[in-house]
Amino acid sequence: MEQQYPHLFSPIQIGEITVKNRIFMPPVSTNLADKGYVTEELIAHYSARAKGGVGLIVTEVTTVEPTYVYLPGDMSICDDSYIPGWKKLTDAVHKYGTKILPQLFHPAYMAFPIKGTPRLIAPSNVGPYYAKEAPRAVTKEELKTIIRQFGEAANRVKQAGGDGVEIHAAHAHGLLGGFLSPLYNKRTDEYGGDINGRLRLTLEVIAEIRRVCGKAFIIDVRISGDEYTDGGQNLNDGIYVAKQLEKAGVDFIHVSGGTTIMRGSSIPAPGTPMGSHVKLAQEIKQYISIPVATVGRITEPWLAEELIANKKTDICMIGRANICDADFVFKAQNGQEKEIRPCIGCLRCLNGIMFGKRIGCTINPSLELENEDTIKEANEKKNILVIGGGPAGMEAAFVAKKRGHHVVLCEKEKELGGLMRIASVPIAKQDLARVIQYMIHKLERVGVEIRLGCTITKELLLQEFKEYQVIASTGASPIVLQELTKFKQWMTADDILSGKAFPGRKVVVVGGGSVGCEVADYLAPLVNDMFPRNREILILEMANGVMLNESGPGRSLLVQRMKKKGVEIICNAKVERVNTDSIYYRKEEKEYCISDADTLVFALGYRKEEYIENILKECQVSYQIIGDANQVGTIKDAITAGYLTAKEF
C-alpha cells in the first residue's frame, strides 16, 4: 500500500539518534505519578502511545529538585531513588522503537502551594496574577545549585536508559521560562537585562547537561517563539534565542508560543485554527540547521503531513490527539483515518489537573488498560435495546456490541447525535460534527442494528423487545419558564441552533451559562460596525458572572468574542415578569424594563426527560437510565456513562 503521508512517516536524525517518524508527543500532564515516582499506570499510559506508533515521547513535567511541587501528581527525578521506575518506563517505551525524554522543569513561582513549601522563588519578585504573595528573587548562589540539579537529573535519565531531555524554557513558565521572559525577569545582574542576560541561565543548564551526559544524548529546548503579548518576547527574540541554542549544542528546538497566564495563547482553544504556532516554527526554521518542532492543536494527520511537506516544520508535536486515541499514529499510517477518535480540543483532558484529578478525555471514556478498544467479551450474551441515539446511547450500543451482545439502537429522530447535533452549531464547536460522524461509523463497523424514526411504545416493549434488557438514553429538554412565555416572541436556544425558529433583531437571552453565551455569540454580528441590520444581543444572568462552570481557554475566547461583537452582558439580573411587549428584570433591588426587544430566548439549562422511564416501569422490564435522562451533564459525562454502563452488561 502506498504511504499516504510519506513526509510524516519518514525518519529524522536528532543529534546522533534516529527517530522513526516525525510524530512526537509533547508533554501533557497526567497526575498519574505517586509522590513523583513512576507508577504502573504511567508506564501503561506512555507505552500505549509508544505501541500506537509515536516516534518520540516527551513526558510531562519532571521536577529536578525536591522542594517545589508543580502538580499534586507530577513526576520527579530529583534523586537516585527515582531511577528504577524510570528504567521500567524507558524499557516499556523502547520495546516499540519509540524514544523518550522527560521534560526537566523547576516550577519556581508556578509551584503548587503545598503546606510547608517555603516562599516561592522567581527571577525577580514578580509573580503571576493569581499569586497570594510576591515570590523572592533567587540568588546567584542558589542558581549554581539549580544548574547542578538539572545536570544530575539528566544524568539519572541517562542511567535509566532515557534518550535525552527536554528543557522547558517556554510560556514565561517555571524558572527557565521566567528568566527568559521580560515579563518576569527584571534583574540587573548578569542574569537579567538584555536577551543575552535572560538567556544565560538556560545556556548554563544546557552546558552542564552536555558536560555530564555527553554528545550522544538528546537535548531539546521548548521555547515560545513569540509570547503574543506587549512586554513579552517577540518573534525577533525567538529567532535569536534559537540561534544561540543551536550554538550551545541543542539537538532540536520545540517551538511553542504564548504564555500560561494569557489564556488560550499557549494552549489553543477548541475551534481555533490547527497548527496554532506553526508560523513561528516556519520563521525560526529558516535561520537554524537543527530540526524544528511545532505544536498546537495538530489533530488530523493530513495537516501534519502538509506542514512537513511544505517545509514549515520538521516535526509535529501531537499531544491531545494522542491522548484521545493512543493508536492515532498507527491508524494514520495504515489508511484508517475514519477510525481515529477525533480530538475536539476541549481541554477537559486537563480539567482538574491542578486539583489532583487524573487525566481524562471527553471522547475517549477510559484511559485505563481495559478501554473501549480492548473491552472483553461478556461470558453471557444478551439482547439489549438502547433507546436514544445521543452520545450516551451511541457509546452504550457500541460497547455492548463489542461485549458480544445483540444490540438494537432505536432513535425517534431521523438522525443520530441527539443534542450533540445542536451543540456542534455554535461558533468554534464544529468538531462535534466529526464526533457524531465517528460514532456512527464505529456503530456501523461493529454491526449495531440501528432504527431511525423509531419511537418506543409499550407495544414494542411488551412484544418485540419483551426479552431485552434496556438502556435508556432519551436526553433532556430545554427549561422553559411558562410565566415568561407571554412575551410576543419566545424560543429556546435549541430552537435557534436547530433551525426551528428565527429570532428578531433585538434579542434578550435569559441565562448566561455555556448555552446562553454560545447562542449569543452565534447570533451577534461578526463585525461590531453598527450596521443598521446588525442584531443587538443582551444576556441577562442571575449569577455574578457568565459561564461560571467553565474555566478553559474556550471560555476565555468566547467571552472575548462576545465583548468584541458588542454583546451586552448584565449579571446579577433576574427576569421577574413579562407582558406582550416588555421584559422586566431586577438588579440590586431596582427594577428595569426592556421595551424594545423582539425576541426572548430561554437558555436556562435542561431538565431530564422522564416519559420513557414511566413506560419502562409500567412494562416491568429491566432497564438503566443513562446520560442526560439520568442526570444532566456534559458530553464527557454522557459518553462516560454509556461506556461504564454497557461495560457491566
Side-chain angles (χ1 to χ4, degrees):
M1 181 180 71
E2 184 180 351
Q3 175 53 252
Q4 188 176 355
Y5 305 117
H7 296 86
L8 192 57
F9 290 104
S10 62
I12 184 168
Q13 192 72 20
I14 304 293
E16 297 187 1
I17 295 175
T18 302
V19 181
K20 63 184 178 182
N21 62 47
R22 310 296 182 97
I23 299 179
F24 290 13
M25 185 172 175
V28 182
S29 295
T30 67
N31 266 344
L32 296 177
D34 180 12
K35 296 182 176 63
Y37 290 93
V38 171
T39 61
E40 292 301 320
E41 287 180 300
L42 261 175
I43 293 170
H45 175 77
Y46 285 118
S47 62
R49 275 80 203 161
K51 183 180 180 182
V54 171
L56 181 148
I57 292 171
V58 182
T59 74
E60 62 212 84
V61 160
T62 304
T63 54
V64 300
E65 58 81 51
T67 306
Y68 300 102
V69 173
Y70 177 58
L71 291 172
D74 65 13
M75 301 172 76
S76 183
I77 195 158
C78 66
D79 65 47
D80 289 355
S81 67
Y82 295 90
I83 293 175
W86 273 95
K87 182 71 169 68
K88 287 183 180 178
L89 175 57
T90 58
D91 287 348
V93 168
H94 285 159
K95 177 181 175 183
Y96 301 103
T98 298
K99 309 303 180 186
I100 183 167
L101 325 176
Q103 184 188 68
L104 297 188
F105 187 67
H106 189 304
Y109 54 100
M110 301 286 187
F112 200 81
I114 292 173
K115 188 176 181 181
T117 300
R119 186 177 176 188
L120 303 185
I121 61 172
S124 308
N125 61 346
V126 179
Y129 68 92
Y130 54 79
K132 293 182 179 178
E133 66 172 349
R136 67 171 180 84
V138 63
T139 68
K140 288 193 286 184
E141 283 302 309
E142 288 173 318
L143 289 180
K144 291 178 183 177
T145 300
I146 291 170
I147 292 165
R148 176 176 51 77
Q149 288 171 329
F150 269 98
E152 290 171 349
N155 191 41
R156 292 185 194 105
V157 173
K158 185 176 180 180
Q159 291 177 55
D163 300 287
V165 294
E166 174 171 279
I167 306 302
H168 190 343
H171 308 149
H173 191 57
L175 191 67
L176 299 184
F179 262 85
L180 195 50
S181 175
L183 293 170
Y184 290 104
N185 189 338
K186 314 294 180 180
R187 298 173 77 103
T188 56
D189 62 13
E190 63 267 40
Y191 289 99
D194 67 5
I195 193 167
N196 292 303
R198 299 196 310 273
L199 181 58
R200 180 178 181 132
L201 178 59
T202 298
L203 294 178
E204 290 182 352
V205 166
I206 292 165
E208 177 67 6
I209 292 173
R210 187 62 78 203
R211 182 187 72 80
V212 171
C213 296
K215 193 176 178 184
F217 186 77
I218 294 172
I219 300 176
D220 110 72
V221 180
R222 189 177 201 184
I223 63 169
S224 285
D226 191 322
E227 290 180 345
Y228 307 137
T229 185
D230 291 343
Q233 288 188 96
N234 57 44
L235 181 54
N236 292 327
D237 299 326
I239 293 168
Y240 182 80
V241 166
K243 287 181 176 181
Q244 306 317 306
L245 294 175
E246 180 177 27
K247 288 179 184 177
V250 167
D251 295 302
F252 77 94
I253 310 285
H254 178 178
V255 180
S256 185
T259 70
T260 53
I261 59 169
M262 183 180 173
R263 282 180 292 276
S265 63
S266 60
I267 305 179
T272 55
M274 290 192 291
S276 53
H277 305 305
V278 72
K279 290 180 180 178
L280 306 179
Q282 181 181 11
E283 188 68 18
I284 288 171
K285 180 173 158 55
Q286 296 181 60
Y287 300 99
I288 60 176
S289 59
I290 56 176
V292 170
T294 191
V295 70
R297 226 176 93 76
I298 303 170
T299 59
E300 298 180 51
W302 69 266
L303 176 67
E305 171 71 15
E306 283 289 298
L307 295 179
I308 295 169
N310 297 337
K311 302 188 185 307
K312 294 184 176 183
T313 189
D314 300 298
I315 298 157
C316 286
M317 290 278 184
I318 300 178
R320 284 177 279 178
N322 272 307
I323 295 296
C324 189
D325 194 330
D327 291 323
F328 175 92
V329 181
F330 175 84
K331 292 173 182 177
Q333 192 168 16
N334 289 278
Q336 299 174 10
E337 289 90 340
K338 285 186 177 181
E339 311 293 334
I340 295 175
R341 188 181 290 107
C343 171
I344 60 174
C346 65
L347 279 169
R348 293 199 184 276
C349 48
L350 300 180
N351 252 17
I353 284 285
M354 289 298 292
F355 306 103
K357 292 184 180 178
R358 58 186 294 146
I359 192 169
C361 179
T362 290
I363 311 305
N364 187 347
S366 172
L367 302 181
E368 311 298 327
L369 279 174
E370 184 184 357
N371 54 62
E372 65 168 28
D373 295 325
T374 60
I375 201 84
K376 297 172 184 171
E377 279 207 12
N379 294 325
E380 179 189 353
K381 304 303 189 289
K382 303 171 185 175
N383 292 322
I384 296 176
L385 168 65
V386 179
I387 306 173
M394 287 194 287
E395 181 66 22
F398 172 75
V399 173
K401 183 66 178 179
K402 285 203 74 175
R403 293 272 286 155
H405 304 301
H406 171 66
V407 182
V408 179
L409 171 60
C410 292
E411 166 56 49
K412 66 179 180 180
E413 303 292 338
K414 294 182 179 179
E415 293 180 77
L416 294 173
L419 287 178
M420 196 156 53
R421 289 207 316 275
I422 296 172
S424 71
V425 173
I427 293 168
K429 298 294 288 294
Q430 65 271 12
D431 282 342
L432 288 176
R434 293 176 56 223
V435 177
I436 299 169
Q437 188 179 47
Y438 164 77
M439 295 188 84
I440 292 171
H441 173 72
K442 70 179 187 178
L443 288 174
E444 293 171 344
R445 175 166 51 84
V446 297
V448 170
E449 182 182 341
I450 301 169
R451 299 186 190 181
L452 299 176
C454 177
T455 300
I456 293 298
T457 62
K458 289 182 187 177
E459 289 73 26
L460 279 172
L461 287 171
L462 294 173
Q463 295 173 22
E464 182 176 358
F465 298 118
K466 184 178 180 181
E467 302 299 326
Y468 282 64
Q469 294 190 32
V470 176
I471 300 174
S473 173
T474 47
S477 56
I479 294 171
V480 173
L481 300 181
Q482 290 303 314
E483 62 269 27
L484 302 185
T485 60
K486 297 173 185 175
F487 192 71
K488 57 190 174 188
Q489 187 187 43
W490 66 269
M491 57 193 64
T492 68
D494 284 20
D495 291 334
I496 295 169
L497 297 174
S498 63
K500 294 177 180 177
F502 194 73
R505 196 185 69 84
K506 181 153 186 179
V507 179
V508 175
V509 179
V510 183
S514 297
V515 174
C517 290
E518 286 173 358
V519 78
D521 182 36
Y522 175 74
L523 293 174
L526 291 176
V527 179
N528 184 21
D529 60 358
M530 299 182 69
F531 188 70
R533 294 180 65 184
N534 282 354
R535 283 197 178 96
E536 296 176 48
I537 313 295
L538 168 64
I539 294 175
L540 296 175
E541 168 56 47
M542 287 179 60
N544 61 3
V546 294
M547 299 179 68
L548 294 180
N549 293 327
E550 298 291 338
S551 60
R555 177 201 178 277
S556 177
L557 294 187
L558 173 51
V559 173
Q560 290 178 53
R561 280 199 306 272
M562 290 193 297
K563 301 292 279 185
K564 288 176 183 176
K565 294 176 177 182
V567 173
E568 186 178 359
I569 301 171
I570 302 177
C571 296
N572 297 309
K574 181 181 180 182
V575 178
E576 294 193 322
R577 58 192 176 93
V578 304
N579 58 35
T580 304
D581 297 307
S582 300
I583 300 167
Y584 297 87
Y585 69 92
R586 184 169 295 278
K587 179 179 171 68
E588 296 175 354
E589 305 306 318
K590 184 176 179 181
E591 186 175 74
Y592 296 84
C593 175
I594 302 170
S595 59
D596 58 348
D598 300 311
T599 308
L600 183 150
V601 177
F602 290 106
L604 297 167
Y606 297 85
R607 58 167 55 98
K608 59 186 182 181
E609 296 281 9
E610 296 181 342
Y611 73 95
I612 279 290
E613 185 166 13
N614 294 331
I615 294 174
L616 292 169
K617 285 178 180 177
E618 286 182 39
C619 295
Q620 297 183 338
V621 299
S622 173
Y623 71 89
Q624 288 198 47
I625 306 290
I626 65 170
D628 284 350
N630 179 50
Q631 183 174 352
V632 175
T634 64
I635 293 171
K636 182 179 187 296
D637 296 331
I639 293 176
T640 300
Y643 167 77
L644 292 176
T645 300
K647 180 173 173 283
E648 299 305 316
F649 271 74

